[in-house]
Amino acid sequence: MKIKGFKRKGSILMAIILAMLSLTFGQLPKRASAEAVLPGAIATDFEDGTVQGWYGRGGSEILTAAAPAAHTGAYGLQVEGRTQGWHGPQLDVTPIMEAGKTYSISAWLRLSAGSANTSVSMTIQRTAGGSTYYEGVASGQAAAGGWVKLTGEYKLLESSEKVSVYFESFANPTLAFYVDDFLIQRSPDPVPIEIQKDIPSLKDVFAGDFKLGSAFLVSEIADPDGPDAQLLKKHFNSLTAGNELKWDATEPQEGQFNFTRADKAFHFAVDNGIDFRGHTLVWHSQTPDWVFHDANGSLASKELLLQRLKRHIDTVVERYKGSIYAWDVVNEVIDPSQPGGMRGSLWYQIAGEEYIEKAFEYAHAADPAAKLYINDYNTHEPLKRQFLHDLIKRLKDKGIPVDGVGHQMHIDIQNPSVQEIDATIRTFTDLAVEQQITEMDMSSYTNGTDSWSSFPVDLQIRQAHRYKEIFDVFKKYKDQITAVIFWGKDDGNSWLRTFPVTRNNWPLLFDERLQAKYAYWGLVDPGKVPVEIKHAAAAAGSANVDGTLEEDWGRIAPVPVLKAGESAAEFRTLWDADHLYVSVDVFDTTVNGNDAVEVYIDGNNGKTTAYEADDKKYTFRRSGANPHEPADYKAVKIEGGYRIEAAIPIDGGELGFDVRLVDRSGDVETKTSWNDTTGSQDTDTSKFGVLMLVEGPRITTAVEGTPVIDGSIDAVWNGANAVATDRWVIGSSGSTAKVRTLWDDGRLYVLAEVTDALLSKRSANAWEQDSVEIFIDSNNAKTGFFEPDDGQYRINFDNERTVNPASLSGNLISAVQLTAAGYVVEASIAWTGTPQAGDTIGFDLQVNNDEDGDGDRDSVAIWNDISGQSYQNTSGYGLLKLAEAE
Ligand code: XIL
């Protein structure tokens, strides 16, 4: 079983979105007393028989004050003659709009008789600094049978030349509808925000390590002395414009440059003595379409594209020459699912890798002093970071002026692991480039569907500890890393509030009111953060206390004990009726007679501030002294340190548990704890972690045999063991498979007989098509990330294959046959290692299913690992034991 200590069942996303839009469904028409209208509001009720300032957006609309359109009174606004989705009534509200203020906007809507229910939305259109913005306020299903009220809150972030409200329906371009009782008015002013002036500035805390930065939008500094601006000035010595220097902002039309917003961002930084970073010159996103097309609308030639690239870079980079200290020259150019690892953007399609080389050359010519970066996300993925590493190497070998690699570091509360981040930074140390963390934030969610109304306290604490653990890694590499930059400063302004879906999120160090969170204190003064109660699992199994790890130890993933960015030890636990078996591998090369592992057990997980009868401390010495006291144990030497293996008597249940390493070196003794980092274990059990005694992974046996891969079930399969995918990762019913396995020296064979009533591959995403996925962890290391021996092999009902990492694609052979009940996949996968009879590997099989054929995944059934993380974390896989031929 997977430990999901901090997973929350959120209310479904839709409910949240509806709640956020405060959408309420109205009753049938009745005369309601008019809402209180405050001074400075605009209310239109059409009772004078006129349209009261509303006009058609498209020009073709016919707007009339008409009786059938009345929600209250005698008249409402009738909207007819629409021919486009964006057509509809619009009203100028500029006179009452003030920057920084929040407004509530509402109206009643109904469709003309005979129309089917249709989605209608209410949107703000505004113009500021020459650009036009469309900002959704509310939307909902309108009906002919009754009135619906659309209500939303809207905050005007910056002063704008023109602001208007309009209604449209993209779902039905010719829809006729009625609007009545429209009201926009200012919401009461919230309590003014004040930043904490007396807490340490982040930039000072990390002054000896690296620059500390933040991204921001010009809307946040509309008031250059307001609290948002104050927070930026107090804490950061590197600033990045979040959107203002992207191509769509600086050169929206060919040759027409607009630096209004970019200059604002830039001046805010430099006028306040803060270093400024440029983001970004070349990207596949937020880049106007004209860049890639010629006058005829055909794809631009390479010559034309590079000419445009040069003019863009010359103009933008020269404008800030000498003042922007680093540029993200290219952004997100790697795609590990491509055979060569390069993203197939229009840039690449037209110019191949040359667009990258030229971008760096042009940027260097335009500002020789600026540090030039290649920036990307998910650089922790082993294959992706290897492609990125190799690209930088190729560029440098050719003399292209690349100075740095930027890790965006958009991570979440759980993934990737700290060790993976460590390995990521390490990967680039041989290239003689600087490294920066360019866009760090930490989503509170591990998927795209959960959504919570407030941030659970245990997650606030988890986030603080995780930030600290990761910054410990950054500090370890401070000779490599020149800046760590957050993507935003506070939770309220984070892009994760609208990406990948609209929901609350709390990814940064300061909350919506700009107050320091635990996450801030985790970096500044960890003692101010409550101890996190971690959860680990012990699997059912037993062990000989001899210092060697027999087969059962492969049932459980090792848990790291972290110290200053390093794993100081790893422990595993097993349990049976009488004992808890603990093995701890300590990585400590200096042998000292006083080195020891202390194990703490709170038998009833009582979490008391004083010891009770069930609370015990066990000290196991590196020297192996007193091997039966206080419990049977053995100490042995391992590479880089020592191992303790012990059998501790227990009664079962859930245990309070902690491991503390005692490292004596000369006169100095250091203690490092898994859970209670305050070191109060000897007297207090309240800060122990929790050890859950779980069953552990399922196991099955593959017998030896070699089938023909043709999708028909040879006789050799008759001797194979079968298992079922009867656990659910998504949904609770749908397509499942009976799974059999065979193996020989060269390969693993998998037969999946899938029951699936409707075969669909409508989605463009392979994982949403009806398919099976085979997961293999050949060395059963149960890691929080993929090692080179790990692979994910996906085969859909049309025998189309996708393999992660793509470099293992050559290992997979498969055949599929459709059956009355669904389809049969027969697959053969070459071993990444050389497993022997008797070995146990990590193995799982999942069935993806688009139940109704509409192009999304409705169910995922799996044999063992319900974490939903199997594609990047092998620790939850089931076990497959390789048996010898009978
Ligand atoms: C994001 C901005 O924060 C959003 O406001 C915008 O709508 C989309 O882009 N990687 C990047 C950044 O390199 O440029 C992105 O910024 C976030 C992901």
Side-chain angles (χ1 to χ4, degrees), residues 673-692:
S673 299
W674 171 56
N675 203 83
D676 182 358
T677 42
T678 70
S680 68
Q681 288 97 329
D682 288 337
T683 55
D684 177 350
T685 71
S686 69
K687 299 179 205 126
F688 291 7
V690 177
L691 195 62
M692 300 175 304

PDB file of all heavy atoms in Angstrom, residues 673-692:
ATOM      1  N   SER A 673      18.295  13.336  13.080  1.00  0.00           N
ATOM      2  CA  SER A 673      17.058  12.582  13.274  1.00  0.00           C
ATOM      3  C   SER A 673      16.244  12.492  12.002  1.00  0.00           C
ATOM      4  O   SER A 673      16.208  13.427  11.200  1.00  0.00           O
ATOM      5  CB  SER A 673      16.195  13.258  14.336  1.00  0.00           C
ATOM      6  OG  SER A 673      16.893  13.276  15.553  1.00  0.00           O
ATOM      7  N   TRP A 674      15.539  11.369  11.889  1.00  0.00           N
ATOM      8  CA  TRP A 674      14.575  11.244  10.800  1.00  0.00           C
ATOM      9  C   TRP A 674      13.418  12.203  11.058  1.00  0.00           C
ATOM     10  O   TRP A 674      13.057  12.993  10.202  1.00  0.00           O
ATOM     11  CB  TRP A 674      14.040   9.810  10.710  1.00  0.00           C
ATOM     12  CG  TRP A 674      12.895   9.664   9.745  1.00  0.00           C
ATOM     13  CD1 TRP A 674      12.893  10.011   8.427  1.00  0.00           C
ATOM     14  CD2 TRP A 674      11.585   9.167  10.017  1.00  0.00           C
ATOM     15  NE1 TRP A 674      11.664   9.750   7.862  1.00  0.00           N
ATOM     16  CE2 TRP A 674      10.844   9.228   8.816  1.00  0.00           C
ATOM     17  CE3 TRP A 674      10.959   8.651  11.170  1.00  0.00           C
ATOM     18  CZ2 TRP A 674       9.516   8.806   8.725  1.00  0.00           C
ATOM     19  CZ3 TRP A 674       9.637   8.220  11.073  1.00  0.00           C
ATOM     20  CH2 TRP A 674       8.926   8.304   9.860  1.00  0.00           C
ATOM     21  N   ASN A 675      12.852  12.175  12.266  1.00  0.00           N
ATOM     22  CA  ASN A 675      11.653  12.984  12.465  1.00  0.00           C
ATOM     23  C   ASN A 675      11.807  14.129  13.467  1.00  0.00           C
ATOM     24  O   ASN A 675      11.606  15.277  13.106  1.00  0.00           O
ATOM     25  CB  ASN A 675      10.466  12.109  12.871  1.00  0.00           C
ATOM     26  CG  ASN A 675       9.172  12.804  12.521  1.00  0.00           C
ATOM     27  OD1 ASN A 675       8.726  12.735  11.387  1.00  0.00           O
ATOM     28  ND2 ASN A 675       8.599  13.534  13.455  1.00  0.00           N
ATOM     29  N   ASP A 676      12.135  13.834  14.701  1.00  0.00           N
ATOM     30  CA  ASP A 676      12.181  14.906  15.707  1.00  0.00           C
ATOM     31  C   ASP A 676      13.496  15.660  15.601  1.00  0.00           C
ATOM     32  O   ASP A 676      14.472  15.370  16.291  1.00  0.00           O
ATOM     33  CB  ASP A 676      12.006  14.330  17.116  1.00  0.00           C
ATOM     34  CG  ASP A 676      11.996  15.438  18.168  1.00  0.00           C
ATOM     35  OD1 ASP A 676      12.169  16.617  17.800  1.00  0.00           O
ATOM     36  OD2 ASP A 676      11.819  15.109  19.364  1.00  0.00           O
ATOM     37  N   THR A 677      13.508  16.672  14.748  1.00  0.00           N
ATOM     38  CA  THR A 677      14.739  17.418  14.497  1.00  0.00           C
ATOM     39  C   THR A 677      15.105  18.314  15.681  1.00  0.00           C
ATOM     40  O   THR A 677      16.181  18.902  15.697  1.00  0.00           O
ATOM     41  CB  THR A 677      14.586  18.267  13.225  1.00  0.00           C
ATOM     42  OG1 THR A 677      13.286  18.869  13.241  1.00  0.00           O
ATOM     43  CG2 THR A 677      14.691  17.399  11.975  1.00  0.00           C
ATOM     44  N   THR A 678      14.218  18.414  16.676  1.00  0.00           N
ATOM     45  CA  THR A 678      14.585  19.183  17.871  1.00  0.00           C
ATOM     46  C   THR A 678      15.387  18.316  18.833  1.00  0.00           C
ATOM     47  O   THR A 678      15.920  18.810  19.825  1.00  0.00           O
ATOM     48  CB  THR A 678      13.346  19.723  18.626  1.00  0.00           C
ATOM     49  OG1 THR A 678      12.659  18.600  19.241  1.00  0.00           O
ATOM     50  CG2 THR A 678      12.392  20.446  17.701  1.00  0.00           C
ATOM     51  N   GLY A 679      15.450  17.010  18.587  1.00  0.00           N
ATOM     52  CA  GLY A 679      16.269  16.118  19.411  1.00  0.00           C
ATOM     53  C   GLY A 679      15.711  15.836  20.795  1.00  0.00           C
ATOM     54  O   GLY A 679      16.458  15.506  21.717  1.00  0.00           O
ATOM     55  N   SER A 680      14.399  15.904  20.952  1.00  0.00           N
ATOM     56  CA  SER A 680      13.835  15.687  22.294  1.00  0.00           C
ATOM     57  C   SER A 680      13.348  14.250  22.503  1.00  0.00           C
ATOM     58  O   SER A 680      12.579  13.973  23.428  1.00  0.00           O
ATOM     59  CB  SER A 680      12.677  16.674  22.532  1.00  0.00           C
ATOM     60  OG  SER A 680      11.589  16.350  21.697  1.00  0.00           O
ATOM     61  N   GLN A 681      13.822  13.308  21.676  1.00  0.00           N
ATOM     62  CA  GLN A 681      13.294  11.937  21.711  1.00  0.00           C
ATOM     63  C   GLN A 681      13.447  11.234  23.055  1.00  0.00           C
ATOM     64  O   GLN A 681      12.676  10.327  23.362  1.00  0.00           O
ATOM     65  CB  GLN A 681      14.009  11.056  20.672  1.00  0.00           C
ATOM     66  CG  GLN A 681      13.679  11.325  19.236  1.00  0.00           C
ATOM     67  CD  GLN A 681      14.709  12.223  18.580  1.00  0.00           C
ATOM     68  OE1 GLN A 681      15.309  13.078  19.240  1.00  0.00           O
ATOM     69  NE2 GLN A 681      14.914  12.033  17.294  1.00  0.00           N
ATOM     70  N   ASP A 682      14.490  11.591  23.820  1.00  0.00           N
ATOM     71  CA  ASP A 682      14.746  10.827  25.049  1.00  0.00           C
ATOM     72  C   ASP A 682      13.677  11.045  26.111  1.00  0.00           C
ATOM     73  O   ASP A 682      13.541  10.242  27.035  1.00  0.00           O
ATOM     74  CB  ASP A 682      16.119  11.195  25.621  1.00  0.00           C
ATOM     75  CG  ASP A 682      17.233  10.609  24.761  1.00  0.00           C
ATOM     76  OD1 ASP A 682      16.953   9.610  24.050  1.00  0.00           O
ATOM     77  OD2 ASP A 682      18.352  11.139  24.784  1.00  0.00           O
ATOM     78  N   THR A 683      12.935  12.138  25.999  1.00  0.00           N
ATOM     79  CA  THR A 683      11.948  12.415  27.045  1.00  0.00           C
ATOM     80  C   THR A 683      10.541  12.626  26.507  1.00  0.00           C
ATOM     81  O   THR A 683       9.585  12.677  27.268  1.00  0.00           O
ATOM     82  CB  THR A 683      12.326  13.713  27.802  1.00  0.00           C
ATOM     83  OG1 THR A 683      12.472  14.755  26.829  1.00  0.00           O
ATOM     84  CG2 THR A 683      13.622  13.525  28.569  1.00  0.00           C
ATOM     85  N   ASP A 684      10.403  12.754  25.199  1.00  0.00           N
ATOM     86  CA  ASP A 684       9.144  13.246  24.635  1.00  0.00           C
ATOM     87  C   ASP A 684       8.851  12.421  23.382  1.00  0.00           C
ATOM     88  O   ASP A 684       9.688  12.339  22.483  1.00  0.00           O
ATOM     89  CB  ASP A 684       9.375  14.731  24.283  1.00  0.00           C
ATOM     90  CG  ASP A 684       8.178  15.383  23.608  1.00  0.00           C
ATOM     91  OD1 ASP A 684       7.238  14.674  23.239  1.00  0.00           O
ATOM     92  OD2 ASP A 684       8.213  16.613  23.450  1.00  0.00           O
ATOM     93  N   THR A 685       7.664  11.817  23.306  1.00  0.00           N
ATOM     94  CA  THR A 685       7.357  11.002  22.118  1.00  0.00           C
ATOM     95  C   THR A 685       6.438  11.737  21.140  1.00  0.00           C
ATOM     96  O   THR A 685       6.050  11.192  20.123  1.00  0.00           O
ATOM     97  CB  THR A 685       6.672   9.674  22.518  1.00  0.00           C
ATOM     98  OG1 THR A 685       5.337   9.960  22.982  1.00  0.00           O
ATOM     99  CG2 THR A 685       7.442   8.948  23.595  1.00  0.00           C
ATOM    100  N   SER A 686       6.096  12.983  21.471  1.00  0.00           N
ATOM    101  CA  SER A 686       5.076  13.665  20.663  1.00  0.00           C
ATOM    102  C   SER A 686       5.591  14.050  19.292  1.00  0.00           C
ATOM    103  O   SER A 686       4.805  14.336  18.387  1.00  0.00           O
ATOM    104  CB  SER A 686       4.546  14.900  21.396  1.00  0.00           C
ATOM    105  OG  SER A 686       5.550  15.887  21.469  1.00  0.00           O
ATOM    106  N   LYS A 687       6.909  14.061  19.134  1.00  0.00           N
ATOM    107  CA  LYS A 687       7.444  14.463  17.829  1.00  0.00           C
ATOM    108  C   LYS A 687       8.073  13.291  17.072  1.00  0.00           C
ATOM    109  O   LYS A 687       8.835  13.498  16.139  1.00  0.00           O
ATOM    110  CB  LYS A 687       8.447  15.597  18.011  1.00  0.00           C
ATOM    111  CG  LYS A 687       7.810  16.838  18.626  1.00  0.00           C
ATOM    112  CD  LYS A 687       8.827  17.941  18.824  1.00  0.00           C
ATOM    113  CE  LYS A 687       8.400  18.886  19.934  1.00  0.00           C
ATOM    114  NZ  LYS A 687       9.424  19.041  20.962  1.00  0.00           N
ATOM    115  N   PHE A 688       7.774  12.073  17.520  1.00  0.00           N
ATOM    116  CA  PHE A 688       8.180  10.913  16.713  1.00  0.00           C
ATOM    117  C   PHE A 688       7.353  10.920  15.415  1.00  0.00           C
ATOM    118  O   PHE A 688       6.251  11.452  15.372  1.00  0.00           O
ATOM    119  CB  PHE A 688       7.856   9.586  17.431  1.00  0.00           C
ATOM    120  CG  PHE A 688       8.677   9.288  18.657  1.00  0.00           C
ATOM    121  CD1 PHE A 688       9.572  10.205  19.198  1.00  0.00           C
ATOM    122  CD2 PHE A 688       8.551   8.046  19.286  1.00  0.00           C
ATOM    123  CE1 PHE A 688      10.317   9.896  20.333  1.00  0.00           C
ATOM    124  CE2 PHE A 688       9.282   7.731  20.427  1.00  0.00           C
ATOM    125  CZ  PHE A 688      10.162   8.654  20.955  1.00  0.00           C
ATOM    126  N   GLY A 689       7.881  10.269  14.405  1.00  0.00           N
ATOM    127  CA  GLY A 689       7.082  10.036  13.200  1.00  0.00           C
ATOM    128  C   GLY A 689       6.095   8.908  13.452  1.00  0.00           C
ATOM    129  O   GLY A 689       5.910   8.458  14.591  1.00  0.00           O
ATOM    130  N   VAL A 690       5.467   8.445  12.390  1.00  0.00           N
ATOM    131  CA  VAL A 690       4.518   7.341  12.512  1.00  0.00           C
ATOM    132  C   VAL A 690       4.941   6.223  11.567  1.00  0.00           C
ATOM    133  O   VAL A 690       5.294   6.475  10.411  1.00  0.00           O
ATOM    134  CB  VAL A 690       3.078   7.798  12.150  1.00  0.00           C
ATOM    135  CG1 VAL A 690       2.113   6.620  12.217  1.00  0.00           C
ATOM    136  CG2 VAL A 690       2.630   8.920  13.077  1.00  0.00           C
ATOM    137  N   LEU A 691       4.916   5.010  12.101  1.00  0.00           N
ATOM    138  CA  LEU A 691       5.211   3.849  11.267  1.00  0.00           C
ATOM    139  C   LEU A 691       3.929   3.041  11.122  1.00  0.00           C
ATOM    140  O   LEU A 691       3.349   2.601  12.118  1.00  0.00           O
ATOM    141  CB  LEU A 691       6.307   3.010  11.928  1.00  0.00           C
ATOM    142  CG  LEU A 691       6.980   1.975  11.033  1.00  0.00           C
ATOM    143  CD1 LEU A 691       7.691   2.646   9.857  1.00  0.00           C
ATOM    144  CD2 LEU A 691       8.001   1.176  11.847  1.00  0.00           C
ATOM    145  N   MET A 692       3.483   2.910   9.901  1.00  0.00           N
ATOM    146  CA  MET A 692       2.246   2.174   9.652  1.00  0.00           C
ATOM    147  C   MET A 692       2.606   0.757   9.230  1.00  0.00           C
ATOM    148  O   MET A 692       3.438   0.566   8.344  1.00  0.00           O
ATOM    149  CB  MET A 692       1.450   2.870   8.564  1.00  0.00           C
ATOM    150  CG  MET A 692       1.081   4.292   8.964  1.00  0.00           C
ATOM    151  SD  MET A 692       0.258   5.193   7.646  1.00  0.00           S
ATOM    152  CE  MET A 692       1.439   5.061   6.351  1.00  0.00           C
TER     153      MET A 692
END
